[in-house]
Amino acid sequence: MRHVIVVGAGAAGIMAALAAAEGGAAVRLLEKNNIVGKKMGITGKGRCNLTNACTMDECIAHTPGNGRFLFSAYQQFSNEDLLTRLHQWGLETKVERGGRVFPQSDSAVEVRKLLYQRLRHAGVTIQLEDAVQDIRAWDGRVSVRSASGIYEGDACIITTGGMSYPVTGSTGDGYGFARALGHTVTDLRPSLIPFTTAEAWPHALSGLSLRNVEASLWKRGKKLASHFGEMLFTHFGVSGPIILMLSTAAAHKKQCTYPLQLRINLKPALSPETLDQRIQRDFQKYIRKEVENAMKDLLPQRLIPVVLEQAGIDCRLPAHQVSREQRHDLVTVLQALTLTITGTRPIEEAIVTAGGVSIREVNPKTMESRKTAGIYFAGEVLDIDAFTGGYNLQAAFSTGYAAGTAAAQEEMP
Ligand SMILES: Cc1cc2nc3c(=O)[nH]c(=O)nc-3n(C[C@H](O)[C@H](O)[C@H](O)COP(=O)(O)OP(=O)(O)OC[C@H]3O[C@@H](n4cnc5c(N)ncnc54)[C@H](O)[C@@H]3O)c2cc1C
């Protein structure tokens, strides 16, 4: 019987441990927290967006950080495989907007507890509050030193996650283990993270959320990416779903240094001509009002002074005195409200870490190290990251499954 040691009980580690136990191995799972799946418990704003009900090709397309590496892991364990298993174990799920899959109960904690029960049921030895300090490998054997002792086995699967939300246990320990085992760790960057801005005005608009806008990111006049949807002003800059998506684009552009420019199209559905006609109608309707009040049907009240200032129009100008040129400038600003992006919030606040153990040094079928036999990697510790939508957890579950299955298999003589 093979002895498999799994380091880190997040989505990847739990699935790796379950797959290895199913494969007939004796499995020891070491976790530094006092519960398994602590990060999973806060995913999806406490609802756990488990996966996405799209095709695996679409999953890969939604994974800008080395999605193609996942092809083989997804063939072995797809989103359907995950859901079939969860349903068999009694978890009901539902599909929401954009194919996002959640537990019917909207409870991430239910998922975490269910997986803990499955680990126990599979006979996995779970060691909580047992931080791993060192991992070594020689001649196909591995040795893992943790707070409680030294454990030897035939394989060690490193599933320590990234380095965001360190309070959940993901403090980047796996990168150190990987380096010590001869691996390259690519540049670690925050992804799915809010932006900070040079301008102070977002602070004054803190809490204001905009729907159906298009935000685009620019560097020296070149568009890097754009997304349509919802965004939010905060005390430090900008956040919300489309901003997080743009941060992923920034994380994946080579040598993408800040500052960058953010342009917000507040009326993306309208052509400049149609928008101009709309403004003329509003100014006619509120002909006796100051321009600031004549725009109240067009924009949230708090945003109007900002737009007028960027357009160079005095808020107190009577609506009927706004010239054609000024209206032109107003339309331009409404379709490209501009902010200077100075950087991101710290990596600790990122949803995922971009970068990690180089995928070139890991076999995509088995997740085994190409440098050191008996060592496997799965989940966010690898140089993989995806957009929001359930893709990150699916990547962790699938790579975990592939690693666990392979690690449990007897070596061919
Ligand atoms: C706020 C938030 C919300 C998110 N929501 C979603 C979502 O809804 N859907 C989605 O797909 N993705 C979501 N993600 C991303 C997703 O949670 C991660 O990509 C995923 O959890 C990665 O799984 P993992 O198993 O690789 O790592 P982790 O879940 O980070 O697990 C790693 C584990 O290893 C343990 N560990 C680390 N070092 C050691 C050590 N030295 N010894 C022992 N144990 C160790 C840690 O304590 C931790 O339990 C979210 C992330 C955040 C931060």
Side-chain angles (χ1 to χ4, degrees), residues 7-13 30-33 39 42-44 48-49 130-132 159-162 164-165 168-170 173 177 350-352 378-380 390-393 396:
V7 181
L30 304 181
E31 166 57 52
K32 69 159 98 150
N33 289 321
K39 184 174 274 180
I42 61 161
T43 53
C48 189
N49 180 190
D130 201 1
V132 169
T159 50
T160 42
S164 71
Y165 279 67
T168 63
S170 328
D173 299 8
F177 300 145
I351 300 290
V352 282
E380 207 179 308
Y391 309 107
N392 283 301
L393 279 174

Side-chain angles (χ1 to χ4, degrees), residues 104-117:
Q104 188 71 45
S105 61
D106 284 330
S107 166
V109 172
E110 185 193 2
V111 182
R112 182 166 66 63
K113 287 187 174 165
L114 173 71
L115 293 174
Y116 177 65
Q117 282 163 17

